Amino acid sequence: MQTLDWIVLLGTLFTIVIYGTYQTRGSKNVQDYLKGGNTSKWWTIGLSVMATQASAITFLSTPGQAFHSGMGFVQFYFGLPIAMIVICMVFIPLYHRLKVYTAYEFLENRFDRKTRSLTAILFLIQRGLAAGITIFAPAIILSAVLGWNLLVLNILIGVLVIIYTVSGGTKAVNVTQKHQMIVIFTGMIIAFILILNHLPDDITFKKALDIAGASGKMEVLDFSFDLDNRYTVWTGLIGGTFLMLSYFGTDQSQVQRYLSGKSVKEMRLGLIFNGLLKVPMQFFILLVGVMVFVFYQFNEAPINFNPTATEVVLNSDYADEYKALQIKQQEVFDLKKAAITEFANANGTVNQELIADYNAQSDTLRANARALIVKAGDAKNLKVEDNDKDYVFIHFILNNLPKGLIGLLLAVILSAAMSSTASELNALASTTTIDLYKHRVGPKTESEMVKASKGFTLLWGIIAIGVACVANLAENLIQLVNIIGSIFYGNVLGIFLLAFFFKYIKANAVFIAALITQVLVIGLFFLNEYGFINLPFLWLNFVGCVIVIIIAFVLQTLMKNEDIETS
């Protein structure tokens, strides 16, 4: 980090905070504070919805996911356009007609207050955890690669977000996210161009794609029904559709973005804009990761990208074994580089099995290195993250980009963290204020409700910072957030579908079914984690939704029969 990088980084972040605070000062009523005065245009809604989902995790983890596993992760988003159409046709008109502040208000109208409160609490639990992870994700990685204090980073990101979110509410979130997305798109496009420029002169973009294809990184579509494959066309279209329906249709962090629209038309256009752009955007981010992979076929990469993990193992009894792996990795790299260079110059006529063999050797060496890192951590009683997917892209940025652009890409990462966290805090505060606080304390004046909303925003901000300070990394950050969502989203979506389409089902049946379903889904998740069943987390969205609907039907039938017998 040079002086110019610090100027770009701090200048970008503080400009966003000051601009958001200034533009939205003076929100005097609940309509302005929680729904932005219903003034948002479709492009603001679309970019805000996109920025809410595209957290720092997206820009740190997704390239690393592609580096290790290729383009297949894009299948995760195949259900998103389908979900956008359903939400535009069903959810938006209903929310607009009822003039709700939160998605969960509708459930009290359809069922009762306890069902509304339960669903709101399920949202608060999963989104409160996710808000902490959204802060923690960039903080842990930046602290590892830059040597910054993790606690200070967690607090800094949280405080910056709290400042403008508490000050301006929903409008502040929408206004700042529009500019954050501009920074993000600019930074990622520049990074992509620079990666291509860093490739050898005779390696064109087409040759780079051929090299990636020869290494198995361009396999986008998987039509198999193998449950061992986490990302397939079917998990994306079925599990992904149910996840996206629940996320965009019932998660207040997203619902609040389009409820701020001027009209139903603006809301719909905003979501359609997101649906059309989101999959290509994720494809592009994955492609950036694939190009980083190609770059490291001509430039030596560390055997593990996490510098903290490397430092731990090199200062342990396993240092000699680790160094031996590094030497072997260097030998494999030299052989693979020669084979790939020959492959590129021969227009793909060289035997690709040789490249695949070298890649397999490299993967084995990396797996052995991770095993040594775990052993070294255990020996020192340290929790060390051996999986380095989330460190790949930031390693490339810090070691290969020119002055100023390092600061810009770090600004991209932190801007993404701030935009997602702001939406989450805003939604957490709205749900707490409208769905829980208002009904517990009774009617309040406009100014009192705004003060309560600001207080809850601050409270959830502090809670998110607290979660970030005690969080631990999982296998992959982007998967961790989606796993947390998948545990709750199917159940919540099922409750809303029962409310929309099954008038036969009443409140008590839904409430009991939701409680039972949540316990079952959590149980299924842990059974899969410990190897008793094989159920990829994306399927939890579909399974949870189906279970709550079936149980509600059964319970309603039993209750109706009991009523008949009693009468």
Side-chain angles (χ1 to χ4, degrees):
M1 287 284 287
Q2 303 297 316
T3 303
L4 182 58
D5 294 308
W6 281 107
I7 292 172
V8 173
L9 173 60
L10 296 176
T12 302
L13 296 183
F14 284 111
T15 297
I16 289 171
V17 172
I18 293 169
Y19 178 81
T21 304
Y22 176 77
Q23 285 290 322
T24 58
R25 66 197 186 283
S27 296
K28 295 292 191 296
N29 57 61
V30 178
Q31 177 81 2
D32 283 344
Y33 192 79
L34 297 184
K35 296 176 76 173
N38 290 109
T39 58
S40 296
K41 299 283 191 178
W42 66 265
W43 57 84
T44 298
I45 294 170
L47 290 173
S48 184
V49 165
M50 197 176 300
T52 297
Q53 190 182 26
S55 67
I57 298 169
T58 300
F59 301 99
L60 285 169
S61 286
T62 308
Q65 179 78 18
F67 179 93
H68 284 279
S69 306
M71 298 291 294
F73 182 69
V74 76
Q75 296 169 111
F76 171 79
Y77 295 94
F78 281 3
L80 189 142
I82 301 171
M84 294 300 97
I85 293 171
V86 174
I87 291 168
C88 286
M89 292 175 61
V90 179
F91 290 68
I92 287 179
L94 190 59
Y95 290 155
H96 184 264
R97 186 171 71 250
L98 295 175
K99 296 184 173 14
V100 296
Y101 285 95
T102 74
Y104 317 111
E105 284 184 84
F106 161 69
L107 294 179
E108 183 173 353
N109 293 332
R110 171 62 178 85
F111 297 124
D112 59 9
R113 183 172 295 180
K114 68 177 184 293
T115 305
R116 171 186 178 177
S117 297
L118 172 64
T119 313
I121 289 169
L122 291 177
F123 163 74
L124 292 174
I125 292 171
Q126 66 90 7
R127 188 49 58 188
L129 290 172
I133 299 300
T134 305
I135 293 175
F136 170 73
I140 184 65
I141 294 169
L142 293 177
S143 70
V145 298
L146 295 173
W148 297 351
N149 183 277
L150 176 58
L151 183 62
V152 172
L153 269 172
N154 283 329
I155 294 172
L156 176 64
I157 296 171
V159 168
L160 287 176
V161 173
I162 287 171
I163 290 172
Y164 66 83
T165 309
V166 170
S167 172
T170 297
K171 191 172 183 181
V173 174
N174 291 349
V175 166
T176 52
Q177 283 181 327
K178 196 163 48 174
H179 295 85
Q180 284 162 331
M181 285 305 294
I182 293 171
V183 171
I184 288 167
F185 278 130
T186 302
M188 293 304 292
I189 291 169
I190 291 173
F192 182 74
I193 293 170
L194 287 173
I195 294 168
L196 296 181
N197 287 337
H198 277 74
L199 296 177
D201 293 337
D202 59 336
I203 302 299
T204 62
F205 179 54
K206 182 182 182 305
K207 286 185 177 181
L209 292 176
D210 290 339
I211 291 168
S215 300
K217 304 299 180 183
M218 296 304 296
E219 296 172 1
V220 179
L221 302 177
D222 182 352
F223 287 95
S224 73
F225 289 93
D226 185 359
L227 290 177
D228 289 329
N229 295 337
R230 181 170 281 177
Y231 302 110
T232 67
V233 169
W234 311 115
T235 58
L237 286 177
I238 300 173
T241 297
F242 278 82
L243 172 62
M244 300 302 173
L245 269 175
S246 188
Y247 179 51
F248 289 97
T250 70
D251 189 305
Q252 183 62 20
S253 66
Q254 284 291 3
V255 173
Q256 195 152 344
R257 306 283 68 78
Y258 54 79
L259 285 182
S260 65
K262 289 186 68 174
S263 63
V264 169
K265 179 182 177 182
E266 298 287 343
M267 297 179 199
R268 283 173 167 169
L269 285 173
L271 282 192
I272 294 298
F273 171 73
N274 175 66
L276 292 175
L277 197 59
K278 181 64 179 180
V279 177
M281 185 185 87
Q282 291 300 137
F283 185 92
F284 173 70
I285 297 170
L286 285 166
L287 190 60
V288 170
V290 168
M291 289 300 107
V292 170
F293 171 84
V294 174
F295 170 83
Y296 281 119
Q297 305 313 293
F298 299 98
N299 300 270
E300 190 178 357
I303 197 168
N304 191 284
F305 283 92
N306 183 348
T308 301
T310 301
E311 183 181 352
V312 168
V313 74
L314 288 177
N315 288 286
S316 73
D317 294 337
Y318 301 95
D320 290 339
E321 290 181 62
Y322 195 81
K323 289 175 182 176
L325 290 176
Q326 289 177 315
I327 293 171
K328 183 62 178 175
Q329 175 79 356
Q330 174 69 53
E331 294 172 359
V332 172
F333 167 74
D334 291 336
L335 293 170
K336 184 168 65 168
K337 180 179 178 181
I340 285 177
T341 301
E342 185 179 358
F343 170 82
N345 292 334
N347 293 319
T349 58
V350 173
N351 188 353
Q352 294 185 25
E353 291 182 4
L354 184 61
I355 297 174
D357 180 58
Y358 288 138
N359 279 324
Q361 290 183 47
S362 180
D363 290 342
T364 300
L365 290 169
R366 289 183 181 278
N368 292 338
R370 290 197 297 272
L372 288 179
I373 289 168
V374 172
K375 289 179 180 178
D378 291 342
K380 295 185 175 187
N381 291 318
L382 294 174
K383 171 65 177 175
V384 182
E385 178 52 42
D386 61 291
N387 195 314
D388 62 344
K389 288 181 182 179
D390 301 315
Y391 294 84
V392 172
F393 189 46
I394 192 70
H395 180 277
F396 172 81
I397 290 171
L398 294 174
N399 289 280
N400 298 285
L401 295 191
K403 296 177 184 178
L405 287 178
I406 293 176
L408 177 61
L409 265 295
L410 291 178
V412 166
I413 293 166
L414 291 174
S415 291
M418 290 163 58
S419 65
S420 285
T421 306
S423 293
E424 289 164 340
L425 298 186
N426 186 221
L428 288 164
S430 299
T431 302
T432 307
T433 303
I434 299 297
D435 295 302
L436 300 180
Y437 171 79
K438 185 178 178 182
H439 286 297
R440 297 298 177 202
V441 301
K444 292 287 184 179
T445 65
E446 288 285 325
S447 62
E448 287 174 330
M449 288 295 288
V450 170
K451 285 180 182 178
S453 299
K454 290 184 176 183
F456 285 123
T457 303
L458 176 60
L459 175 63
W460 280 109
I462 294 170
I463 291 172
I465 293 172
V467 171
C469 291
V470 300
N472 282 312
L473 279 175
E475 174 187 351
N476 182 244
L477 290 169
I478 196 165
Q479 290 183 12
L480 176 59
V481 170
N482 288 319
I483 287 169
I484 292 172
S486 295
I487 290 172
F488 293 94
Y489 278 148
N491 190 13
V492 173
L493 177 61
I495 294 170
F496 274 85
L497 293 182
L498 285 166
F500 288 147
F501 301 114
F502 301 99
K503 302 302 181 185
Y504 167 77
I505 307 298
K506 306 303 179 185
N508 287 337
V510 173
F511 182 78
I512 297 170
L515 290 175
I516 296 172
T517 299
Q518 197 57 65
V519 173
L520 290 175
V521 170
I522 292 172
L524 288 172
F525 170 74
F526 281 108
L527 286 173
N528 178 71
E529 284 296 293
Y530 290 103
F532 292 103
I533 62 172
N534 187 4
L535 185 67
F537 73 86
L538 266 180
W539 286 102
L540 292 175
N541 297 280
F542 173 73
V543 171
C545 184
V546 171
I547 288 175
V548 73
I549 291 174
I550 291 174
I551 293 177
F553 261 98
V554 171
L555 289 174
Q556 185 62 50
T557 302
L558 292 174
M559 290 175 182
K560 188 173 182 180
N561 289 339
E562 286 180 4
D563 290 340
I564 293 172
E565 291 174 6
T566 302
S567 61

